[in-house]
Amino acid sequence: MTTLVQSAGAAEPTQFVILQDRKLAFRSIGEGVPILLCVRFRGTMDSWDPAFLDSLAANGFRVIVFDYSGLGQSTGESSYDPRSLARDAIGLLDALGIEKAVIGGWSIGGIAAQIVLATAPARVRHLALIATVPPGPLARPGEQLFFELAKRDNDFEDVVTIFFEPASPASREAAKRSEARFAARSGDRSPDVPVDWAAAQLGDRPRNPVFPAEAVLHALKATNIPVSHIGGDHDIALPVENWHALSGKLPTLHLLTLPSTGHAPHHQYPELCAAFLGFLAQAHGIGCVGMPAAAAKAAS
């Protein structure tokens, strides 16, 4: 039995679903084809750039963001085991009565999204990955610098180094604009993920492979579901070159690599990234960009 509780707050109010032993916090923005977004390491619902979410909604999506179990405003046992994160995603779809959705994932959320595809392919319309890593041996592991920065409270320079391109003035300006959009939010915010807890989950150095999931790689090679990856050309956490190495090996893979950016290409180019996902949805008959709300809702 699922109970839905809504609380007052920000423009997109936080809502809750109760799943047996835990309560998941989520927000829903817009109407159209559902896109469920699994967030990054140390991320909450408030870690998605509002311009990216708004642009997805403008491209005909119903955008759903959520906090993983035990993190942010959600209750239950906290874990960064990607299988647990994938269970949260599927549980939320069940609770909301959504049979199929675009499943998106950023960073560790992208690993969770791939597990959703491998374990529940009938629930996935399109796998929309952002700055994440494929299963199996990597062409290029992440940089040690990421592990140092990811384990401390981050100032603006850290944000630029991880998520943007510090050598590019244009990327720095994009970082300032993104940070201003985050600062404009008020109220109904999810608590930050505790740094010490997250650091203990990360490890001390880059791994290769990050997740040796043969079943997930097989699913990517065998699927007829569209798979896309949006990456920055200088991602110190999960280099985009690992997806380039799979070009021609995954039959439905679409790659978009953006210049002079890092681990958050959708924050530097929010409208472009949302339009890319809208274009793929239209091209694959998933939904139409700018479709009337009633028709979009019926398509879901």
Side-chain angles (χ1 to χ4, degrees):
M1 183 74 178
T2 298
T3 304
L4 212 62
V5 186
Q6 182 166 329
S7 65
E12 299 82 31
T14 299
Q15 301 177 70
F16 298 92
V17 293
I18 298 174
L19 304 175
Q20 297 179 333
D21 59 343
R22 66 198 190 282
K23 182 172 68 174
L24 291 185
F26 76 97
R27 297 181 192 137
S28 180
I29 304 160
E31 294 187 35
V33 176
I35 180 169
L36 179 68
L37 298 176
C38 304
V39 76
R40 64 170 171 85
F41 177 75
R42 283 181 57 183
T44 68
M45 292 185 288
D46 293 307
S47 300
W48 296 99
D49 191 310
F52 177 61
L53 303 183
D54 290 346
S55 295
L56 284 173
N59 275 275
F61 291 103
R62 175 191 176 188
V63 186
I64 301 165
V65 294
F66 68 102
D67 290 338
Y68 298 128
S69 291
L71 301 176
Q73 296 184 60
S74 293
T75 65
E77 184 177 353
S78 55
S79 172
Y80 270 140
D81 180 341
R83 294 168 296 183
S84 174
L85 310 185
R87 284 194 294 271
D88 281 347
I90 294 170
L92 183 54
L93 290 179
D94 290 342
L96 297 179
I98 297 173
E99 182 178 348
K100 297 185 74 169
V102 177
I103 305 298
W106 173 21
S107 190
I108 194 171
I111 299 175
Q114 292 173 70
I115 292 173
V116 173
L117 174 67
T119 58
R123 311 299 296 273
V124 183
R125 290 178 178 267
H126 166 200
L127 187 65
L129 306 174
I130 302 172
T132 189
V133 64
L138 303 179
R140 181 179 172 188
E143 297 180 23
Q144 186 64 37
L145 177 60
F146 169 75
F147 286 76
E148 297 169 10
L149 299 181
K151 291 186 172 187
R152 70 189 193 200
D153 287 319
N154 298 133
D155 59 17
F156 177 72
E157 284 302 317
D158 290 346
V159 169
V160 172
T161 300
I162 297 171
F163 298 111
F164 295 83
E165 173 49 79
S168 165
S171 186
R172 282 184 169 276
E173 287 302 313
K176 290 178 183 177
R177 292 193 296 271
S178 180
E179 289 295 286
R181 292 191 291 266
F182 282 115
R185 293 179 175 177
S186 62
D188 193 22
R189 296 182 64 88
S190 290
D192 292 338
V193 173
V195 176
D196 290 345
W197 175 83
Q201 317 305 309
L202 184 61
D204 296 322
R205 61 185 62 86
R207 298 194 303 272
N208 188 358
V210 173
F211 72 118
E214 197 63 36
V216 176
L217 186 58
H218 175 75
L220 291 171
K221 289 180 176 180
T223 188
N224 58 6
I225 295 167
V227 176
S228 64
H229 183 268
I230 300 172
D233 67 352
H234 186 197
D235 187 338
I236 66 171
L238 301 171
V240 72
E241 288 86 348
N242 295 304
W243 291 98
H244 296 168
L246 292 175
S247 183
K249 299 178 181 178
L250 304 185
T252 64
L253 181 63
H254 302 70
L255 295 177
L256 175 64
T257 303
L258 294 168
S260 297
T261 191
H263 197 47
H266 54 310
H267 290 185
Q268 183 160 334
Y269 300 97
E271 295 85 2
L272 187 157
C273 291
F276 174 70
L277 295 179
F279 169 79
L280 289 180
Q282 188 176 40
H284 290 281
I286 296 168
C288 295
V289 175
M291 68 195 313
K297 191 171 184 180
S300 69

